[in-house]
Amino acid sequence: MNIPDARLDLRRRQRLGMVEAIWGEHKTADQIIAILETFATAGELGLVTRVDAKKAARVFEMLPEVELHPDARCLTLGSLPPVPPPPAEVVVLSGGSSDRTVVAEAALALRCHGIGVDPVMDVGVAGLHRLLDQLPRLATARILIACAGMEGALPTVLAGLVSQPVIGVPVSVGYGISSGGRTALEGMLASCAPGLTVVNIDNGYGAAMAALRILKGVEPAELG
């Protein structure tokens, strides 16, 4: 297929240590198919985010080797790295089960880079004992990603309890004043917990890549 407007970053893994993710929400199924075919030809793993069920079915119809990840609203093409043995380096927490899609996107993005992930679901501050009960489980992780909607308090509470880096992901879940995640975003940005890192609303992939950069540490860049 002809995709003259797509300039793919096939050297991102060499330059940054991460595969290029393709934003699928505003691309057609045919565009996604063409891009994935280009990635496959280059021998690179393809990751497509934000793909609805109808579009995913069309891509799968044309590329049966594509793997569907409905919980994450993502597609992959190519073999994923093996899952490392426990304990997982990254724990991804959610305030509620409604945050599941964002958790799944973050977990899959890390899985594409061979990083072990332990999802800890439904530990929001409305029942703080649920989070406190999980603190021993978090102790061995190197990084924590906390996804929360409503007022977005989970990352602040977590960052006040643990020593690891915490990355907050505001989620577009909540009643009217939550404003599609804007209230959670602003709450996390205004956090009194020092060192809390915050990404954009529903950006599980971005949180995963922030975690990946922290895990990699400082390495000389290969420009190009």
Side-chain angles (χ1 to χ4, degrees), residues 28-197:
T28 66
D30 287 344
Q31 287 173 325
I32 292 171
I33 291 166
I35 290 171
L36 286 174
E37 288 176 337
T38 301
F39 270 79
T41 299
E44 184 56 273
L45 174 66
L47 168 63
V48 188
T49 65
R50 302 297 177 90
V51 184
D52 63 37
K54 182 178 180 180
K55 196 180 297 184
R58 166 63 178 165
V59 173
F60 183 74
E61 178 184 356
M62 300 302 296
L63 287 177
E65 59 271 35
V66 162
E67 185 172 356
L68 310 180
H69 305 271
D71 281 353
R73 294 184 299 174
C74 292
L75 310 173
T76 57
L77 179 61
S79 299
L80 298 179
V83 178
E89 289 188 284
V90 179
V91 169
V92 185
L93 304 95
S94 79
S97 56
S98 297
D99 308 326
R100 181 178 300 277
T101 298
V102 179
V103 170
E105 180 180 284
L108 176 62
L110 287 166
R111 175 78 176 79
C112 288
H113 294 84
I115 304 298
V117 177
D118 180 16
V120 176
M121 304 295 295
D122 206 15
V123 289
V125 300
L128 190 56
H129 60 283
R130 299 176 300 178
L131 176 62
L132 298 178
D133 288 345
Q134 297 300 318
L135 290 181
R137 181 175 173 182
L138 309 182
T140 57
R142 295 179 60 189
I143 299 173
L144 308 175
I145 296 174
C147 307
M150 300 292 186
E151 83 285 15
L154 177 62
T156 289
V157 173
L158 191 61
L161 293 172
V162 302
S163 61
Q164 302 101 313
V166 176
I167 302 169
V169 186
V171 179
S172 56
V173 170
Y175 295 104
I177 198 171
S178 297
S179 300
R182 183 63 183 264
T183 296
L185 172 62
E186 292 179 348
M188 293 180 194
L189 290 174
S191 173
C192 63
L196 174 64
T197 297

